[in-house]
Amino acid sequence: MRWWKVAGLAGLAGVAATGAVLARSERKRRAYTPDEIRGRLHARVAEAADEAPATTGED
């Protein structure tokens, strides 16, 4: 088999593998309900607010 055929088959396998990984992550992402996403976002904002240094607005 010629080298370009091997390279083409390897590229095709890479594209297929990438598509499978993206499809899996999309299924994970869509598994959350809107209420779960909202709750997680609120928790992240609260956590970030706790970690952020307090500013007084005075320079």
Side-chain angles (χ1 to χ4, degrees):
M1 200 182 293
R2 303 252 183 221
W3 68 269
W4 57 271
K5 286 183 182 179
V6 174
L9 289 174
L12 187 62
V15 169
T18 302
V21 169
L22 291 177
R24 182 181 302 155
S25 67
E26 183 69 15
R27 280 194 306 268
K28 270 189 192 177
R29 188 183 67 81
R30 289 182 184 251
Y32 294 118
T33 66
D35 290 333
E36 288 174 327
I37 294 171
R38 189 176 300 113
R40 292 178 69 178
L41 287 173
H42 284 295
R44 287 175 59 188
V45 168
E47 182 181 317
D50 290 342
E51 293 177 1
T55 59
T56 61
E58 299 175 13
D59 286 333

